[in-house]
Amino acid sequence: QVQLVESGGGLVQPGGSLRLSCAASGFTLDYYAIGWFRQAPGKEREGVSCISAKGRTFYSDSVKGRFTISRDNAKNTVYLQMNSLKAEDAAVYYCAADPWDGSSCSRKAVDFSSWGQGTQVTVSS
């Protein structure tokens, strides 16, 4: 019933920007936390950012101050604005949904029950 589709990835130079989109269907964002995770080759999947069902936002230390998560409930879409991109940000980015309607976000990937297919972000000069 829940479907997530990421878009907006691409190739950018260091210092550049991208905006990722996560289009949700089959549920309303009012009752889910939506997280962004990323996975680079040979590395574990890591949480990047999350917006709770109540609209509270969270960021990993590595992206804080550079990335901004937001949502448009009318469009059922969550965005991740990525600025000042670094080579270390290159990864496949996934959005995921956690059926939790509180003000917090889990940092654990296992708590997110639905996942998109991912969108590639490449940062290279």
Side-chain angles (χ1 to χ4, degrees):
Q1 61 176 3
V2 175
Q3 185 176 13
L4 302 169
V5 179
E6 303 97 333
S7 62
L11 190 153
V12 295
Q13 294 184 344
S17 298
L18 284 173
R19 189 180 75 160
L20 306 183
S21 297
C22 175
S25 61
F27 69 102
T28 173
L29 299 179
D30 292 337
Y31 305 109
Y32 287 76
I34 303 296
W36 285 97
F37 295 79
R38 67 187 182 188
Q39 187 165 24
K43 297 184 178 180
E44 296 182 352
R45 187 169 299 186
E46 64 171 331
V48 174
S49 184
C50 185
I51 184 165
S52 76
K54 303 300 183 184
R56 189 175 181 184
T57 58
F58 303 85
Y59 302 93
S60 67
D61 290 340
S62 62
V63 308
K64 192 173 299 182
R66 299 187 296 119
F67 291 10
T68 303
I69 191 169
S70 62
R71 71 184 186 192
D72 185 335
N73 284 17
K75 296 181 178 180
N76 238 37
T77 300
V78 174
Y79 305 96
L80 185 68
Q81 178 68 46
M82 307 187 296
N83 298 326
S84 301
L85 283 162
K86 305 175 180 179
E88 308 93 272
D89 297 318
V92 177
Y93 282 71
Y94 302 88
C95 65
D98 177 11
W100 169 251
D101 64 355
S103 61
S104 63
C105 276
S106 175
R107 296 183 179 182
K108 299 186 297 182
V110 294
D111 289 333
F112 292 80
S113 56
S114 299
W115 292 78
Q117 295 299 306
T119 185
Q120 177 72 52
V121 172
T122 302
V123 184
S124 177
S125 60

